[in-house]
Amino acid sequence: MSQQLLDLFRHECEFSNYIATGNEITVANLQSFSSQFSHIYGETLSGKTHLLKAWVNLANQKYHSGIYLDVKTEPSAEYLTALNIDEYRFIAVDNIDCLQEEQQIELFNLFNHIKLNQKNNYLLTSSTINLNFSTLRSDLKTRIHSGLVFALKNLTEDELLNALTIYCNRESIGIGNNELKYMLTHYTRNLGLLIKQIQNISQTATIEKKPITTHFIRQLMANPT
């Protein structure tokens, strides 16, 4: 039963199930592939990975030629060296602020190869910080900044509440406005963390057959599983 409940929350990353509040312009540009080179940055769990995967999924739906790569999960720079850009027209590289020196060179070479050979490839990258304050190579930063750069917006309390309400309504999660406000006050203002917590609360409430009240939330937050 528990595994079945967990499966209910496993959604494919799509633009349609991304809460775009405050970041509508970013989403619109990514959806329309408006720039050959794009970069997005924002804090951990701000939605960067979701957007990169949604962008690749959309590219695969339309052109069958997208690939998503995460610097944090790749053991070496070989994935960039061996990347066949004739096979993958749309390339997303996540967490580039974690690139080692060799990997930075490979990404720089990828930019140059696309530009100098006038290739019809699209490259989307992401980082957790503004690259101006990163330790990445200056020539790589220049290449990235030659395209569009989007900063994912930190939402106000009202925007967070609205985004969480949209999410709960979409997922048919029975959690009220007062309970959401309690979470905002006592837990975090990070949308990604809040959604993960709501998923946990909803799953536990379903298993225990209990309504989601402020008291129930307080108990779970005091004794996380």
Side-chain angles (χ1 to χ4, degrees), residues 36 38 51 63 112 131 133 169 183 185 208 220:
Q36 187 173 18
S38 300
L51 287 174
Y63 309 105
N112 278 349
L131 293 184
F133 305 108
N169 289 339
M183 291 184 66
T185 304
E208 298 182 6
L220 284 185

Side-chain angles (χ1 to χ4, degrees), residues 17-171:
N17 57 30
Y18 176 78
I19 299 174
T21 303
N23 296 299
E24 292 88 351
I25 294 175
T26 300
V27 171
N29 277 275
L30 293 178
Q31 280 184 298
S32 62
F33 302 103
S34 63
S35 176
Q36 187 173 18
F37 301 105
S38 300
H39 179 79
I40 57 177
Y41 68 90
E43 64 181 20
T44 300
L45 292 176
S46 60
K48 300 184 306 298
T49 295
H50 187 115
L51 287 174
L52 264 69
K53 289 183 176 180
W55 184 82
V56 168
N57 286 334
L58 181 59
N60 279 325
Q61 291 167 18
K62 288 188 170 184
Y63 309 105
H64 309 288
S65 59
I67 185 171
Y68 167 84
L69 301 169
D70 186 355
V71 171
K72 286 185 176 180
T73 61
E74 297 296 336
S76 70
E78 293 180 1
Y79 70 96
L80 284 172
T81 306
L83 189 63
N84 182 352
I85 66 170
D86 292 324
E87 180 179 1
Y88 298 109
R89 182 180 168 201
F90 298 85
I91 304 162
V93 185
D94 210 352
N95 298 304
I96 65 167
D97 41 335
C98 297
L99 287 169
Q100 300 299 315
E101 178 70 17
E102 182 185 355
Q103 294 172 309
Q104 292 179 44
I105 294 172
E106 294 300 337
L107 184 57
F108 176 76
N109 289 339
L110 178 61
F111 266 98
N112 278 349
H113 184 69
I114 293 172
K115 274 181 168 288
L116 297 178
N117 293 283
Q118 297 182 326
K119 293 289 187 177
N120 192 26
N121 294 82
Y122 286 73
L123 186 59
L124 173 62
T125 55
S126 85
S127 63
T128 56
I129 60 174
N130 185 328
L131 293 184
N132 289 326
F133 305 108
S134 76
T135 58
L136 291 182
R137 294 167 56 99
S138 59
D139 53 4
L140 177 56
K141 293 180 191 178
T142 299
R143 290 293 181 272
I144 293 170
H145 287 149
S146 68
L148 294 180
V149 177
F150 303 101
L152 292 184
K153 179 184 175 184
N154 291 322
L155 304 184
T156 66
E157 183 169 330
D158 286 344
E159 288 171 335
L160 276 171
L161 184 61
N162 181 58
L164 292 175
T165 301
I166 291 171
Y167 175 78
C168 290
N169 289 339
R170 191 177 68 202
E171 301 298 323

